[in-house]
Amino acid sequence: EAGVTQFPSHSVIEKGQTVTLRCDPISGHDNLYWYRRVMGKEIKFLLHFVKESKQDESGMPNNRFLAERTGGTYSTLKVQPAELEDSGVYFCASSHLAEPSAAGELFFGEGSRLTVL
Amino acid sequence: RKEVEQDPGPFNVPEGATVAFNCTYSNSASQSFFWYRQDCRKEPKLLMSVYSSGNEDGRFTAQLNRASQYISLLIRDSKLSDSATYLCVVNDSWGKLQFGAGTQVVVTP
């Protein structure tokens, strides 16, 4: 079974440009999450989709970030315009459980590394 | 104040030895707790969940102390392959995981 896949694995862009990251969750997983790790910091929650609906987007830094999940399958995270502080690793995760309990887990993709120059 | 605090290490451990470390969390309403493992430049992967009664998975033992709001992980008979960063993770709600910055463990021959 394929895991969570993310594209691109690494993107280098200049400040002010736009980047779109894509995540394909594990097939059948209704829950999709975006997390981010900026250099030297811990991984931070960005948002959570249940199918195509945003369940929680409290972690989105500002309105330069736009996440979509049309059709409830893959998701995209667009950063426009990118700033230097957006550099980091963006992880996508999926789960088949709505509420990851003690028995549940999130399956993470390998991440998309974003470098803004 | 961080939601989840961990000693960053590194913990340098001779092969075959035991190593233990813990983390503290700030939200007393947190619902579930996990240890994830992350290898260099790879994604986090669930190592084990942590239960109030304490639980064991092979050489790994996890403990949760809700009163003091800390979680521990003990690794017995360390293997070279145990070298990684161990992330303390707390689930506040609906998969909104709070991650610690990680504890680096280096197992040496």
Side-chain angles (χ1 to χ4, degrees), chain A residues 60-71:
Chain A
M60 295 288 264
N62 51 61
N63 59 11
R64 294 186 294 104
F65 289 76
L66 175 64
E68 294 181 321
R69 194 184 181 193
T70 307

Side-chain angles (χ1 to χ4, degrees), chain B residues 71-83:
Chain B
I71 305 153
S72 65
L73 181 67
L74 182 146
I75 307 174
R76 284 186 303 277
D77 187 23
S78 298
K79 311 291 185 191
L80 295 177
S81 57
D82 294 334
S83 296

Side-chain angles (χ1 to χ4, degrees), chain B residues 12-98:
Chain B
N12 294 297
V13 187
E15 195 174 5
T18 295
V19 61
F21 43 89
N22 55 33
C23 78
T24 58
Y25 61 95
S26 61
N27 184 358
S28 60
S30 296
Q31 300 176 13
S32 51
F33 310 88
F34 309 91
W35 284 102
Y36 274 71
R37 170 194 169 128
Q38 187 173 25
D39 294 295
C40 188
R41 291 183 173 261
K42 303 293 282 184
E43 72 276 21
K45 290 183 178 178
L46 179 68
L47 177 67
M48 61 194 300
S49 302
V50 187
Y51 305 117
S52 295
S53 54
N55 51 296
E56 200 173 293
D57 184 358
R59 298 181 293 105
F60 298 83
T61 301
Q63 295 271 356
L64 166 64
N65 185 319
R66 283 190 183 268
S68 302
Q69 294 180 211
Y70 79 80
I71 305 153
S72 65
L73 181 67
L74 182 146
I75 307 174
R76 284 186 303 277
D77 187 23
S78 298
K79 311 291 185 191
L80 295 177
S81 57
D82 294 334
S83 296
T85 296
Y86 291 84
L87 304 172
C88 179
V89 183
V90 174
N91 177 27
D92 284 349
S93 65
W94 290 91
K96 186 176 179 179
L97 302 183
Q98 303 287 351

